[in-house]
Amino acid sequence: MVDDRALVRRIQDGDMHALRVLIRQHERLVQHMVGRVVANEVEREELCQDVFLKVYNSLGTFAFQSKLSTWIATIAYRHALNHLRGKRSAMLELPTDDSTAVFVETQTPETAMSESDLNDHVKKLIERLPLQYKMIINLYHIEEMSYAEIGTIMELPEGTVKSYLFRARAMLKEYVKKYI
């Protein structure tokens, strides 16, 4: 892995190979951030490209006060949220929030487990969580970010991040109990 400062300097000097390295190193993170907010695959791909364009155009403003990955994740999260807000304001009717809907499984646990892996079911259940909870679960458990990094990305105090993570886990536990 290339040092972030050296990588940014090389990109600012016009090294397109360095830009490809940056994209390769952070594309999974950006896909996760955007994918947790936007369901449509085509829109997700476009937004991910837009995020890297924003990153490239804003590299001169990055002051290394946080990790490069945290800065990129913040851009991705905010860009995806802005996209979602724009879509919602353009719609005549806002969709109802079904995040509190009860998960009802029609199969027996034995049948369900024989058809699919428990991890796949947990991922589906995570998708049912409210957006902020889903994002925090992803950043903490999948991207392995600290409370402080998550707080920076989501513009939340560290205590709120901890509280939301606790609530998200509790909701997920309830979903799993209903499933099993």
Side-chain angles (χ1 to χ4, degrees), residues 1-4 6-27 52 56 59 68:
M1 187 176 266
V2 181
D3 172 56
D4 287 344
L7 186 63
V8 168
R9 201 172 12 260
R10 286 176 41 205
I11 294 169
Q12 289 174 324
D13 289 342
D15 185 346
M16 288 298 112
H17 175 72
L19 179 61
R20 284 190 292 277
V21 169
L22 177 125
I23 292 170
R24 213 173 312 117
Q25 286 178 353
H26 298 93
E27 71 183 330
F52 282 112
Y56 177 74
L59 274 177
L68 182 61

Side-chain angles (χ1 to χ4, degrees), residues 9-128:
R9 201 172 12 260
R10 286 176 41 205
I11 294 169
Q12 289 174 324
D13 289 342
D15 185 346
M16 288 298 112
H17 175 72
L19 179 61
R20 284 190 292 277
V21 169
L22 177 125
I23 292 170
R24 213 173 312 117
Q25 286 178 353
H26 298 93
E27 71 183 330
R28 186 176 141 253
L29 171 64
V30 170
Q31 289 169 347
H32 279 228
M33 298 302 297
V34 172
R36 295 292 176 241
V37 178
V38 178
N40 182 289
E41 186 176 344
V42 173
E43 288 179 16
R44 278 194 319 255
E45 288 178 21
E46 288 177 19
L47 288 172
C48 288
Q49 291 173 6
D50 291 347
V51 166
F52 282 112
L53 187 59
K54 278 187 171 194
V55 166
Y56 177 74
N57 289 330
S58 302
L59 274 177
T61 65
F62 181 58
F64 290 95
Q65 294 177 350
S66 65
K67 290 169 49 176
L68 182 61
S69 60
T70 302
W71 182 71
I72 291 172
T74 302
I75 292 171
Y77 177 68
R78 291 180 185 159
H79 188 64
L81 281 182
N82 288 338
H83 172 77
L84 190 62
R85 285 183 191 122
K87 280 186 71 166
R88 282 190 178 159
S89 66
M91 300 172 108
L92 294 176
E93 271 188 69
L94 292 176
T96 58
D97 181 14
D98 66 0
S99 63
T100 57
V102 176
F103 181 76
V104 178
E105 181 60 54
T106 57
Q107 300 173 321
T108 65
E110 297 79 19
T111 307
M113 289 308 294
S114 67
E115 289 179 15
S116 182
D117 183 34
L118 180 61
N119 287 334
D120 291 336
H121 290 290
V122 171
K123 287 177 185 175
K124 289 176 186 172
L125 294 174
I126 289 171
E127 288 302 315
R128 299 181 63 84

Side-chain angles (χ1 to χ4, degrees), residues 145-178:
M145 291 187 173
S146 69
Y147 296 126
E149 290 173 312
I150 296 168
T152 299
I153 291 167
M154 298 183 69
E155 296 180 327
L156 296 171
E158 199 170 317
T160 303
V161 171
K162 290 177 185 178
S163 175
Y164 282 8
L165 182 60
F166 177 81
R167 290 179 194 166
R169 287 175 178 158
M171 287 178 76
L172 192 56
K173 184 177 178 181
E174 288 303 312
Y175 287 166
V176 170
K177 280 182 184 178
K178 288 175 184 171

